[in-house]
Amino acid sequence: FKSVDFVIWNHAERRTWLRIPCGGGHRSWDLILNQHTLSFTFLKDKMVHMVSCRLDKIIKPVMQRGFHTKQIMCIREIPFSEDCNKWHFVVSASEDTTVRIAAVDNSKTLQPLVVLQSHISSVRCIAVCAMKDGPLVFTGGGRAQLKVWRFMIEKYP
């Protein structure tokens, strides 16, 4: 349950499969998974409510891997002194409190690499400083929080 909704979340894909407004998990409810159908029943306003869905209707293939779950506040390229073949690296900051590193190839295909979850609130700005041993990335978040990260890439295909 998330707030007043029943939510089925896929951790591997980092996305919501199903969200049912039901009033929250403090009420009486039941979930039945039968073959290819999911049935969620709950009591609300002295009435029994039932929501049924076929699993093939809610579980869709991912067209592109997800990135941030909320608004992206800032994105910067990470410079590397060595030749990284056809790849460029970017760092992005978001209201979802994460800093993400991704590789982008010449065809503009985005490949998420790592999610850094250390900020206590939204990450609002990024500054990148090229250094001999690898770039330093400064991220600034709400509540006057500043983080410094050093990135090193040994080899990337």
Side-chain angles (χ1 to χ4, degrees):
F1 291 91
K2 174 127 173 103
S3 185
V4 295
D5 297 335
F6 172 73
V7 177
I8 296 179
W9 174 262
N10 183 315
H11 284 280
E13 295 175 0
R14 300 184 61 84
R15 68 177 178 134
T16 301
W17 275 353
L18 178 66
R19 180 181 301 266
I20 301 171
C22 65
H26 60 278
R27 62 187 65 248
S28 297
W29 61 273
D30 190 23
L31 177 73
I32 299 171
L33 184 61
N34 186 5
Q35 294 294 329
H36 302 286
T37 304
L38 178 131
S39 297
F40 179 68
T41 308
F42 59 96
L43 294 176
K44 183 177 179 183
D45 301 327
K46 299 180 183 179
M47 294 182 66
V48 176
H49 300 266
M50 186 169 117
V51 177
S52 293
C53 357
R54 292 189 41 87
L55 292 177
D56 60 353
K57 299 291 183 191
I58 63 171
I59 302 173
K60 303 286 184 190
V62 176
M63 300 304 283
Q64 178 178 340
R65 292 176 63 180
F67 206 54
H68 287 284
T69 59
K70 292 187 180 177
Q71 181 177 355
I72 295 174
M73 303 301 288
C74 190
I75 189 164
R76 297 279 187 264
E77 184 174 4
I78 303 175
F80 284 94
S81 56
E82 68 273 359
D83 179 31
C84 289
N85 298 327
K86 63 178 184 169
W87 294 94
H88 301 274
F89 298 91
V90 294
V91 58
S92 59
S94 171
E95 284 186 354
D96 66 6
T97 74
T98 63
V99 175
R100 293 177 182 256
I101 309 298
V104 182
D105 68 8
N106 290 334
S107 68
K108 309 297 184 238
T109 301
L110 183 75
Q111 177 66 40
L113 299 176
V114 67
V115 179
L116 306 170
Q117 297 175 315
S118 177
H119 279 274
I120 57 175
S121 65
S122 66
V123 188
R124 299 180 180 170
C125 60
I126 301 170
V128 180
C129 179
M131 302 289 285
K132 182 180 175 183
D133 296 338
L136 291 178
V137 175
F138 299 84
T139 56
R143 301 184 190 176
Q145 187 180 27
L146 179 66
K147 298 277 184 170
V148 181
W149 314 84
R150 178 181 301 277
F151 293 99
M152 294 178 272
I153 294 186
E154 294 177 10
K155 203 171 202 179
Y156 197 75

